[in-house]
Structures are given as C-alpha cells and as structure tokens.
Amino acid sequence: MPTRTAAQRRAEASISYDAYLAECPARQLLDRIADKWVSLAVNALADGPQRYSDLQRRLASVSQKMLTQTLRHLERDGLVSRTVIPAVPVRVEYDLTELGRSLLPVMCAIKAWAEEHMDEVHAARAAYDVPS
C-alpha cells in the first residue's frame, strides 16, 4: 500500500462522510434524525429524564411499537440513555446523552419553525391545490 500524506488521509475521510453519497453513513444518520418521532422525542426529552409512559402521553398518537423502536434507535446511536430504576414496579427512564443534547438546538429550531410557519404552509398548500 502506497504511503499517503496527512492531507490525502483527511481528504479521503471527508469523502467517507459526504451525505450526498448514497453509501455514506451520515446519510443514514440524517434519515434517522429527520424522522418525525425522533424529532418529537428529542424535543420532549429536552426537559430532562422521562419515563416511557410520560413520553407516550406527550407524543400524542405515537404507537407503543413506534415509540419503543424510536427510543431503541436513539439509544443505539448514542443520543439517548436508558436507565432501569429498581423499584416495584421497575421504572425505566430515558434521557438525552451529551451527544443528544448537542442535537437539541437544531431540533428545537426545526420544531419552532414548523409551528411558527404553519399558517403560511397551509396558505401555500391551499393556493397550490386550487385547480387552474
């Protein structure tokens, strides 16, 4: 194997994380964090640790299966920690990790933007849907 310079190694590494490339792992991460349940779960956990049942109540209309799957994915990606609290009955709490907290400003901004601009989006949809 030929010797590569530090600049060449950095260039190769930056290519390996180019989300525009289909095989890039960053694209998979973007898919994950773009999911509506991920966005809502991360925002819900901004206030601190929460039990599963509290999250399920807060995320209206999420199914048990989808919430479980979402939390497992977030835990696998290092964004959420799961803590089992020995009690009767056993309690499980979910919390954002340091990595998950670093994602909060982006997720909070997207949620706030959606809430702030929903009237404009509704108007644009209505205008688009009017037959010409």
Side-chain angles (χ1 to χ4, degrees):
M1 176 172 234
T3 305
R4 295 172 309 194
T5 66
Q8 288 170 323
R9 288 192 300 273
R10 281 193 303 275
E12 288 171 12
S14 69
I15 289 171
S16 67
Y17 293 117
D18 181 351
Y20 290 114
L21 300 175
E23 68 279 355
C24 179
R27 183 178 282 195
Q28 295 169 352
L29 183 58
L30 286 172
D31 285 343
R32 171 93 65 234
I33 62 177
D35 178 84
K36 75 175 175 183
W37 296 120
V38 167
S39 173
L40 293 171
V42 168
N43 276 292
L45 289 167
D47 298 332
Q50 292 190 42
R51 294 174 65 178
Y52 182 93
S53 58
D54 296 330
L55 285 169
Q56 194 168 31
R57 270 191 299 280
R58 185 117 186 244
L59 305 179
S61 80
V62 67
S63 69
Q64 183 176 347
K65 177 184 175 185
M66 185 53 66
L67 181 56
T68 298
Q69 189 176 53
T70 298
L71 291 169
R72 283 184 183 155
H73 288 197
L74 289 171
E75 186 179 5
R76 181 174 184 258
D77 289 341
L79 301 173
V80 166
S81 64
R82 179 181 182 268
T83 304
V84 177
I85 300 165
V88 178
V90 173
R91 289 183 16 198
V92 177
E93 286 188 344
Y94 295 89
D95 195 13
L96 292 174
T97 62
E98 187 176 328
L99 182 62
R101 289 210 170 278
S102 73
L103 184 58
L104 261 179
V106 175
M107 295 304 228
C108 289
I110 290 170
K111 178 181 170 285
W113 183 91
E115 292 168 346
E116 183 179 329
H117 295 282
M118 202 59 238
D119 288 339
E120 294 165 79
V121 171
H122 279 309
R125 287 176 181 172
Y128 182 89
D129 291 343
V130 171
S132 315

